[in-house]
Amino acid sequence: MVQTDKNIFKYSRRDFLQYFGPGAKGLLFMVVLHALLAGCMKDNELWKPGDAGQGDATQGVFVVNQGNFMYGNASLSWYDIQSKEVSQDVFFNANGFPLGDVAQSISLRDSLAYVVMNNSGKINVFHKETFEFAGKITGLTSPRHIHFLDDTRAYVTDLYARSIAIVNLQTMEVTGSIAVRNDESDFYQHSTEQMVQFGKFVFVNCWSYDNNVLVIDTETDQWIDTIEVLIQPVSMVLDKHNKLWVLSDGGFAGNPYGYEKPGLMRIDAQSREVEEVYRFPKESQPTMLAINDTADTLYYVNGHVYRHPVASEQAPELFVQSPYDDLASGGFRAIGIDPVSSEVYVSDAIDHVQPGLVYRFLPDASPVDTLRVGIIPGYFGFSD
Amino acid sequence: MAIRAIILLYLFVILYDVKGQGIRDSVFELPQVHVRAERIFEKESAGMRQTLIDSLTMQQKVNASLSELLSENTSVFIKNHGRGALATASFRGTAPSHTGVSWNGINISSPMTGMVDFALVPVYIMDEMHLKHGTASIADQAGGLGGSISISNRPDWDNTFSTHYTQGIGSYKTYKEYLKVEGGNQEVQLRTRAYHNQSENNYTFLNRAIADVEDGRVTHPVDTNTHADYKNYGLLQEVYLRPGGNHLVSARWWGQWAQRTLPRATSFEGPDNTNLNEQSSIDQRFVTDWTFFTGSGKWLVRSGYSNKSLDYFQKNRVPGVGLLPAVYSESTSHSYLNHAAYTHQVNEFFSLEGSLDVNYYDVDSRDSVSRAGFRVDRIEYSLFFALRHSFRDRLNVNLMVRQNHTDNAWDPIVPYAGFDLKISQRHNLILKGSVARNHHQPSLNDLYWQPGGNPDLLPEKGMAYELGLQHEQAFENLLLRNEITFYRSDVDDWIIWVPGFKGYWEPTNIKRVLSEGVEVHSLLEGKTAGIAWRTSATYALTRAVNYGDPLVWGDNSYGKQLVYIPRHSGNLLIHMAWRGFQVNWQHNSYSERYTTSSNDVSRRDWLYPYHMNNVSLGKAFSIGMMDFSARLKINNLFNESYHSVLYRPMPGRNYMLLLQAGF
């Protein structure tokens, strides 16, 4: 049955055994046995709750690590501001199951924390002091942020639903929605992002292939007005003078929706009129805007971290220089301001496939601490 | 479908009974195990590490995809995104685009991505498969930094007429149908193969990514793997002509339609009619060859065309509108591939080969929702020259050089020098070695994808060295073959895609990757007490390490293994056949794979070592002219819970029954 090439010499079986010694059969047997016994993979070892590592301290910051799309490796790091200790994976360790896929943002209210899981279509709710799972809000298409209106009602923005979900916080159920369809556009509009409240109105920026900020009346749950801004508004805050600041990334080269210089825009929340526009170099990539607790100083990330007092007429000042030489392939990503101390936290996702870094600075920009967190740290939630 | 399957089952049972009543308990020597000893000392392949997948293995895997064939029988690592889902290959720790794939001599890698989805290439359409490991691949094409895979079809000139039908019925509503009709004479041969595969793929699993709290206790639901169904149809037509003794003309056409839905993240708890992902593709490939033998030379002229349409959409239900695509990406590529080669045997010890390839690619990709897209073309010339010399049946030397010209620029020259030295005539022991340079052009998506493509990317450049020992010996009723190869491949300007700040991914040349390792292959086969048996094992040690400049002080990826490349991998096959009965046992192992570039491991993202056992049992027999066979395959024999990409649980023990009839 075995046909061999003619240039291969013929030997007898005895030659074979002499050649390799009698161990050959034994070796084969061992290999077979090993392979048979090796039939045990370690899936069960993954799923036991561990030590969430939280002490008595309740003043700290949650770092939301987005994780990679479809990897399900989103995680939550907890940083104790007093002791400077970091606990990784606190949600997984406290509960024995993962947060989900693509953690977008976190919002805290009373004793609970709400983590919006973009590609899991849900919001995981947990006790902010014990990290224990408290429930979930499901049935969301591609949720981005949650905004609390009162003890029972919240809005949830969405990338693909073309509506803003209305959620009952007591029952953790979706109770309604606000349609934000723009059927006149050739593009998929509106996908909704961050929310900022002014009186009874909520402003919502629309980032993806869009250049609008929507105005929602929270009494009627209706979309009542639209403000045109620079292309692709990524982030917004409201200052103490009731001015809405909108940071836009300007699109990208070849963007069918347009490509312009990124910029920061000041809008009067009352009149909804644009008052000021600060433009940045076209190739820059601004990512996130934040404001301190007294609502008088803006901070934003545009490769480096910049600071801009809201009353200033000057161009924004460089606050912290990025450690990267080439800003095209790295730089800071997210920013958070401690509402108590006004300290500044900035994240760096490095190559996006390894645990990232968070830098902590005093309000005068002097460094305090550097912490290693999870994959793609993209949002901060302060707990006091 | 089910009715057809049942009828066939009945037919099978009836015929089996008839056979039991004493009709011809004959010939069955396994479905003709035709083991061709590889010629291991040929000047044309001096220095090259090659693997031939033989007909026995092909036959065992007739219902499988190329991804299963490779992962279970070779040292190529397959990253499998789930049962029936996208499968990409890593050869010697390299990226999927570093494995060149050809079908009957034409490149079938997508010009857009530079790679092939191995889950969509059925073993059924192949007669032979050759792997060239490492830079040996430059004999076929430039750019195979990892290696190349050649799939080919060949005629059986002795066949007059035969036909075979195979029906597969498996777990999770999986049905497979294969029909082959072939016939001809010594001058003309026609072969037609048609196939259909489909599966609901609806296995159940304990969903650890979803939790419910009941009475203070956390529970996890048992979920069904939904939105993971797939189906595909295909047809392969071959025509061979042998006018006169010196000419061989062939034409082959392979068309395939494939559709699959892509499962959502297992943690997804959004509305049912949202986040629906689907992919469909139509492939057509046509190749025609003319081979002309002169006294001491051989001309080969080949022309091929490959066309691929790939659509992907993601849809969500929007109230008042219905299902609306949020992503609808349509891409089409046309490849025109031409090759002319001449080989001249100066004498028994000396041969020359020269060839010219002219290839043209045209790609159009667009997303009808975002309206982003690109249309580009590329023209590529490749000139190849080889000189092979044999020195007194002791030393073979193989010198090859390839020069490509892509669009308007000359690529770096690709030289290769390899040797085979017969150390021991008595033991047929050969020392092999080679040194070569190679380079790989960025794919058209790397350069132009919207958004993110980077037209300033540089080609990846590599230097590769290898040294190995090969041994083959036949004893009485025994054949032993061993091979061990050490390699080192140093690639600069390695291309990776990293997420940028604007929410999309961008490719950059940032890495230097050093890939070093050992490949071992061992085969022992023979016949004992009437039982034909074979054991075959491969083992690979792969150190594929990133030595790119750290991005920032805190970048911990320097000096670390690349993601999803196991350091150790191996497989073992044991096959036994006796009077038409056969048993096949397959074991496959990988060590842990990292999902972070820094090789950090937490329980959240640990891909623990993988050990898989599959078994098949079969019986074949003949009644008159007719051949029949039945085979039961049991996958995941020990019914293990596991995943091989993060949070994508794989099926437990599952079955496939294959019934074949033909003559």
Side-chain angles (χ1 to χ4, degrees):
Chain A
M1 96 137 224
V2 177
Q3 300 171 10
T4 59
D5 235 17
K6 56 178 179 284
N7 66 345
I8 295 166
F9 301 148
K10 299 280 179 186
Y11 286 84
S12 70
R13 183 177 309 179
R14 182 175 299 165
D15 290 333
F16 172 79
L17 289 175
Q18 278 174 354
Y19 196 69
F20 291 97
K25 274 186 185 168
L27 185 70
L28 181 66
F29 176 74
M30 291 298 288
V31 168
V32 172
L33 191 70
H34 170 76
L36 269 170
L37 294 177
C40 51
M41 288 188 256
K42 298 177 177 171
D43 202 65
N44 281 329
E45 289 183 18
L46 298 179
W47 309 110
K48 299 162 195 152
D51 177 14
Q54 195 208 23
D56 300 327
T58 53
Q59 194 195 359
V61 55
F62 289 105
V63 182
V64 177
N65 305 298
Q66 187 177 310
N68 303 108
F69 179 72
M70 288 305 283
Y71 276 46
N73 59 356
S75 68
L76 209 54
S77 305
W78 166 256
Y79 176 64
D80 185 319
I81 288 171
Q82 299 302 326
S83 69
K84 297 184 181 176
E85 279 176 20
V86 191
S87 308
Q88 307 294 0
D89 265 338
V90 291
F91 184 88
F92 189 108
N93 285 334
N95 300 299
F97 63 91
L99 211 45
D101 202 55
V102 187
Q104 182 66 32
S105 62
I106 189 168
S107 298
L108 282 73
R109 184 175 178 86
D110 301 330
S111 63
L112 296 178
Y114 298 74
V115 191
V116 182
M117 302 307 304
N118 173 249
N119 199 37
S120 299
K122 65 184 169 189
I123 297 174
N124 278 322
V125 187
F126 66 94
H127 296 283
K128 68 179 188 182
E129 289 176 16
T130 60
F131 314 130
E132 275 172 20
F133 184 60
K136 58 189 175 182
I137 302 166
T138 60
L140 302 161
T141 302
S142 185
R144 305 288 279 183
H145 295 267
I146 183 167
H147 175 79
F148 307 110
L149 298 170
D150 52 42
D151 285 344
T152 54
R153 283 201 320 148
Y155 286 165
V156 179
T157 50
D158 201 292
L159 190 60
Y160 294 134
R162 293 226 222 177
S163 62
I164 294 168
I166 304 167
V167 164
N168 183 320
L169 295 170
Q170 305 303 321
T171 60
M172 295 194 191
E173 280 172 355
V174 176
T175 56
S177 67
I178 304 165
V180 291
R181 279 163 47 198
N182 177 15
D183 294 335
E184 288 168 16
S185 172
D186 289 337
F187 292 85
Y188 194 92
Q189 292 181 346
H190 295 288
S191 56
T192 49
E193 281 287 320
Q194 292 185 339
M195 288 168 280
V196 165
Q197 187 152 5
F198 168 68
K200 68 170 187 172
F201 300 107
V202 165
F203 294 94
V204 187
N205 63 312
C206 305
W207 166 76
S208 176
Y209 297 102
D210 212 327
N211 62 341
N212 291 294
V213 168
L214 312 183
V215 185
I216 309 292
D217 182 335
T218 60
E219 288 177 356
T220 58
D221 293 332
Q222 296 287 318
W223 166 28
I224 55 139
D225 198 5
T226 306
I227 307 167
E228 188 176 323
V229 295
L230 302 180
I231 289 174
Q232 299 214 144
V234 287
S235 193
M236 297 184 304
V237 294
L238 188 73
D239 74 13
K240 66 177 185 181
H241 306 298
N242 292 331
K243 305 294 181 191
L244 183 71
W245 293 82
V246 181
L247 183 72
S248 290
D249 70 18
F252 54 88
N255 184 3
Y257 198 74
Y259 180 36
E260 61 180 342
K261 281 184 175 176
L264 182 63
M265 199 174 236
R266 191 179 77 211
I267 297 166
D268 184 74
Q270 188 70 50
S271 68
R272 297 173 199 153
E273 297 292 325
V274 175
E275 295 182 337
E276 192 80 60
V277 181
Y278 296 95
R279 292 276 189 167
F280 310 141
K282 197 162 183 180
E283 64 281 6
S284 62
Q285 302 187 338
T287 51
M288 200 164 174
L289 180 65
I291 194 160
N292 61 354
D293 200 46
T294 47
D296 56 17
T297 309
L298 301 173
Y299 296 84
Y300 64 86
V301 178
N302 186 10
H304 312 293
V305 180
Y306 294 85
R307 178 166 62 184
H308 184 66
V310 296
S312 168
E313 296 297 321
Q314 308 293 314
E317 59 178 309
L318 182 65
F319 181 70
V320 180
Q321 175 116 22
S322 158
Y324 289 83
D325 298 333
D326 176 12
L327 290 179
S329 65
F332 294 134
R333 183 185 180 88
I335 187 165
I337 314 293
D338 186 332
V340 176
S341 65
S342 287
E343 289 181 342
V344 179
Y345 290 75
V346 190
S347 76
D348 177 1
I350 311 177
D351 61 1
H352 296 71
V353 280
Q354 64 178 297
L357 294 168
V358 168
Y359 298 90
R360 175 184 172 190
F361 302 97
L362 291 177
D364 67 359
S366 52
V368 179
D369 199 5
T370 305
L371 28 148
R372 180 74 66 177
V373 289
I375 293 162
I376 316 183
Y379 212 88
F380 297 99
F382 293 88
S383 177
D384 46 16
Chain B
M1 186 70 56
I3 293 168
R4 231 186 312 165
I6 289 164
I7 291 169
L8 217 96
L9 189 68
Y10 269 103
L11 196 68
F12 174 75
V13 170
I14 292 162
L15 291 170
Y16 195 79
D17 267 358
V18 172
K19 182 240 150 209
Q21 290 158 14
I23 298 177
R24 235 170 77 141
D25 182 15
S26 65
V27 257
F28 193 68
E29 276 290 296
L30 273 189
Q32 185 50 50
V33 180
H34 176 65
V35 179
R36 306 197 314 166
E38 284 173 76
R39 294 165 65 86
I40 65 169
F41 192 70
E42 274 186 343
K43 59 184 185 303
E44 277 72 22
S45 59
M48 293 179 176
R49 158 103 166 93
Q50 297 193 79
T51 303
L52 167 72
I53 305 294
D54 62 42
S55 52
L56 171 65
T57 313
M58 289 277 190
Q59 234 161 38
Q60 290 293 326
K61 295 275 163 23
V62 69
N63 65 314
S65 65
L66 181 54
S67 56
E68 294 159 72
L69 181 71
L70 288 167
S71 66
E72 293 176 1
N73 298 282
T74 71
S75 55
V76 176
F77 173 69
I78 297 289
K79 183 182 170 195
N80 205 327
H81 292 247
R83 185 174 179 269
L86 172 71
T88 56
S90 169
F91 219 136
R92 293 186 167 176
T94 58
S97 62
H98 297 157
T99 300
V101 186
S102 67
W103 170 72
N104 291 309
I106 61 165
N107 182 3
I108 58 166
S109 300
S110 156
M112 296 184 64
T113 59
M115 62 192 197
V116 166
D117 180 351
F118 288 87
L120 292 182
V121 181
V123 170
Y124 189 67
I125 61 123
M126 310 172 192
D127 295 317
E128 243 174 20
M129 187 168 86
H130 275 94
L131 271 60
K132 290 191 176 75
H133 299 238
T135 40
S137 65
I138 73 162
D140 297 334
Q141 54 180 286
L145 299 175
S148 69
I149 296 170
S150 312
I151 301 159
S152 51
N153 299 106
R154 57 181 158 76
D156 176 3
W157 292 107
D158 296 328
N159 186 41
T160 49
F161 183 76
S162 67
T163 179
H164 282 90
Y165 177 73
T166 308
Q167 176 69 53
I169 307 160
S171 306
Y172 322 126
K173 295 186 181 158
T174 304
Y175 301 99
K176 298 176 179 235
E177 283 99 31
Y178 303 97
L179 177 69
K180 182 174 357 187
V181 181
E182 50 197 325
N185 54 34
Q186 291 288 329
E187 276 81 45
V188 183
Q189 283 285 333
L190 295 173
R191 309 176 86 196
T192 307
R193 272 175 257 201
Y195 57 91
H196 166 242
N197 271 322
Q198 79 173 58
S199 178
E200 283 291 309
N201 211 3
N202 55 350
Y203 57 87
T204 54
F205 61 93
L206 180 64
N207 193 348
R208 306 273 195 177
I210 288 180
D212 294 294
V213 180
E214 285 168 19
D215 308 327
R217 272 182 54 246
V218 171
T219 60
H220 302 288
V222 173
D223 272 350
T224 302
N225 187 46
T226 51
H227 303 293
D229 53 295
Y230 58 86
K231 56 183 158 204
N232 51 61
Y233 300 89
L235 184 71
L236 171 63
Q237 178 64 53
E238 301 160 69
V239 179
Y240 299 93
L241 299 172
R242 210 159 49 167
N246 298 334
H247 297 267
L248 177 62
V249 179
S250 71
R252 304 170 178 104
W253 180 85
W254 171 30
Q256 178 171 281
W257 176 88
Q259 184 187 43
R260 56 161 80 115
T261 53
L262 310 179
R264 309 183 279 211
T266 49
S267 56
F268 188 77
E269 293 186 77
D272 277 347
N273 41 17
T274 58
N275 204 348
L276 304 172
N277 294 270
E278 192 174 310
Q279 181 187 304
S280 59
S281 61
I282 299 172
D283 283 277
Q284 287 194 75
R285 281 137 187 164
F286 176 74
V287 59
T288 176
D289 275 5
W290 173 54
T291 313
F292 171 57
F293 298 93
T294 62
S296 54
K298 182 179 103 174
W299 281 98
L300 169 65
V301 180
R302 172 179 291 146
S303 218
Y305 167 71
S306 170
N307 162 231
K308 185 180 190 74
S309 310
L310 177 69
D311 293 352
Y312 162 73
F313 66 73
Q314 197 234 58
K315 286 183 176 168
N316 299 288
R317 194 186 71 85
V318 172
V321 183
L323 273 183
L324 200 65
V327 178
Y328 205 118
S329 151
E330 297 162 287
S331 53
T332 311
S333 64
H334 303 272
S335 307
Y336 303 86
L337 307 145
N338 302 285
H339 173 77
Y342 177 68
T343 312
H344 189 78
Q345 290 285 342
V346 178
N347 56 44
E348 195 186 339
F349 303 105
F350 185 35
S351 74
L352 300 166
E353 183 184 348
S355 72
L356 173 68
D357 287 72
V358 181
N359 302 326
Y360 174 74
Y361 307 95
D362 177 16
V363 160
D364 190 1
S365 170
R366 211 147 295 280
D367 186 310
S368 58
V369 180
S370 74
R371 295 165 181 271
F374 69 100
R375 177 165 190 174
V376 286
D377 60 358
R378 169 181 273 181
I379 184 153
E380 174 186 273
Y381 301 89
S382 184
L383 199 60
F384 173 79
F385 184 71
L387 187 154
R388 281 93 180 213
H389 204 293
S390 190
F391 297 91
R392 299 198 309 166
D393 201 28
R394 194 81 189 175
L395 172 69
N396 288 336
V397 173
N398 177 10
L399 302 172
M400 302 189 283
V401 64
R402 188 176 280 281
Q403 171 72 67
N404 278 23
H405 184 274
T406 307
D407 290 329
N408 297 315
W410 291 99
D411 293 347
I413 198 161
V414 175
Y416 171 100
F419 72 93
D420 280 359
L421 176 67
K422 202 175 262 184
I423 300 174
S424 161
Q425 288 279 7
R426 181 171 179 271
H427 300 115
N428 211 23
L429 181 65
I430 291 161
L431 177 73
K432 300 170 82 79
S434 72
V435 54
R437 195 163 85 168
N438 205 346
H439 75 96
H440 177 251
Q441 280 288 349
S443 71
L444 295 174
N445 278 6
D446 290 339
L447 295 167
Y448 305 111
W449 181 258
Q450 279 287 0
N454 178 357
D456 300 325
L457 283 178
L458 300 168
E460 299 167 294
K461 295 173 256 320
M463 275 301 295
Y465 315 86
E466 64 183 77
L467 199 63
L469 279 171
Q470 199 174 7
H471 162 263
E472 182 168 296
Q473 209 145 15
F475 301 85
E476 185 190 348
N477 278 331
L478 271 178
L479 174 71
L480 173 69
R481 186 185 294 154
N482 292 299
E483 188 165 11
I484 181 165
T485 309
F486 299 86
Y487 65 87
R488 177 188 168 99
S489 163
D490 201 341
V491 180
D492 280 330
D493 292 323
W494 184 279
I495 295 170
I496 62 160
W497 285 68
V498 291
F501 292 117
K502 293 194 179 179
Y504 54 78
W505 293 62
E506 299 160 292
T508 43
N509 290 107
I510 59 165
K511 291 198 172 182
R512 175 190 166 220
V513 172
L514 183 63
S515 160
E516 299 171 300
V518 183
E519 291 170 334
V520 182
H521 177 230
S522 222
L523 178 136
L524 181 63
E525 65 179 12
K527 201 164 185 176
T528 310
I531 300 172
W533 53 270
R534 164 188 280 199
T535 60
S536 166
T538 68
Y539 164 76
L541 168 69
T542 312
R543 277 176 43 86
V545 177
N546 164 37
Y547 288 111
D549 292 335
L551 292 171
V552 69
W553 69 270
D555 183 351
N556 286 341
S557 64
Y558 184 85
K560 303 287 169 56
Q561 182 86 349
L562 299 187
V563 295
Y564 273 106
I565 306 292
R567 190 147 286 176
H568 305 279
S569 61
N571 50 56
L572 177 65
L573 168 83
I574 296 178
H575 172 85
M576 279 185 278
W578 177 75
R579 291 195 174 186
F581 290 97
Q582 51 171 299
V583 184
N584 213 45
W585 178 59
Q586 180 96 53
H587 174 82
N588 213 22
S589 278
Y590 305 127
S591 61
E592 68 180 323
R593 281 85 67 218
Y594 298 109
T595 58
T596 55
S597 62
S598 52
N599 294 181
D600 279 291
V601 175
S602 72
R603 289 190 304 155
R604 186 192 66 238
D605 50 20
W606 188 40
L607 285 179
Y608 41 74
Y610 169 91
H611 307 288
M612 185 47 59
N613 294 280
N614 299 330
V615 165
S616 80
L617 311 161
K619 166 71 178 157
F621 56 93
S622 299
I623 302 171
M625 295 268 291
M626 299 282 290
D627 303 325
F628 298 91
S629 73
R631 194 155 76 232
L632 178 69
K633 302 183 113 179
I634 307 167
N635 299 315
N636 191 359
L637 183 65
F638 299 128
N639 197 25
E640 300 207 55
S641 297
Y642 73 102
H643 54 257
S644 54
V645 294
L646 290 174
Y647 297 101
R648 180 61 49 205
M650 297 292 275
R653 187 184 299 120
N654 63 91
Y655 306 90
M656 168 64 65
L657 178 66
L658 285 165
L659 306 173
Q660 190 183 76
F663 61 88

